[in-house]
Amino acid sequence: QVRLVESGGGLVQAGGSLRLSCAASGRTVSTVAMGWFRQTPGNEREFVARIRWAGGETYYAGSVEGRFTISRNIRANMVYLQMNNLKPEDTANYFCAAQAVGADSWNSWGQGTQVTVSS
């Protein structure tokens, strides 16, 4: 399994930017994809973005497309989420996730980093 540690969350005003980082360690050689999800209290975790580890193909939720960019550094085992033009509705706990070869879904999760956007 892969261990994931997120960082970079914080408080920002609407219209501002933040860059989240996710450090992966452990069995990263078996990683097929990495992703970002977010969750607010009382709600289900929601998909934000994903990136294929080998080819780098990306996919975004409609609510963030054009504002967020997911990227990765394979040599450093890092995944990033650049968030621009942040809105108060982006406020959430953001989680990094990994999907391993043969797994049906995301099978490794980080502890999350809080992003708060003030209006």
Side-chain angles (χ1 to χ4, degrees), residues 14 67 76 84-85 87-88 94 101 107 111 113:
R67 300 187 297 121
N84 297 329
N85 190 22
K87 304 175 181 180
Y94 283 72
V101 172
N107 57 319
Q111 294 299 307
T113 184

Side-chain angles (χ1 to χ4, degrees), residues 68-88:
F68 291 11
T69 302
I70 187 171
S71 62
R72 88 261 191 258
N73 182 326
I74 294 177
R75 292 190 66 180
N77 285 328
M78 296 289 295
V79 177
Y80 307 99
L81 186 68
Q82 177 66 43
M83 305 185 294
N84 297 329
N85 190 22
L86 282 160
K87 304 175 181 180

Side-chain angles (χ1 to χ4, degrees), residues 3-65:
R3 180 172 181 263
L4 303 172
V5 179
E6 303 95 335
S7 61
L11 174 64
V12 64
Q13 287 189 332
S17 298
L18 278 176
R19 188 195 195 206
L20 305 183
S21 299
C22 175
S25 60
R27 294 180 57 84
T28 58
V29 66
S30 64
T31 299
V32 172
M34 298 284 288
W36 288 96
F37 291 74
R38 64 189 182 186
Q39 188 172 24
T40 53
N43 294 307
E44 293 187 357
R45 197 167 293 185
E46 113 180 291
F47 167 78
V48 175
R50 73 166 186 257
I51 187 167
R52 288 189 63 85
W53 195 242
E57 295 88 351
T58 58
Y59 183 76
Y60 298 91
S63 59
V64 308
E65 190 159 18

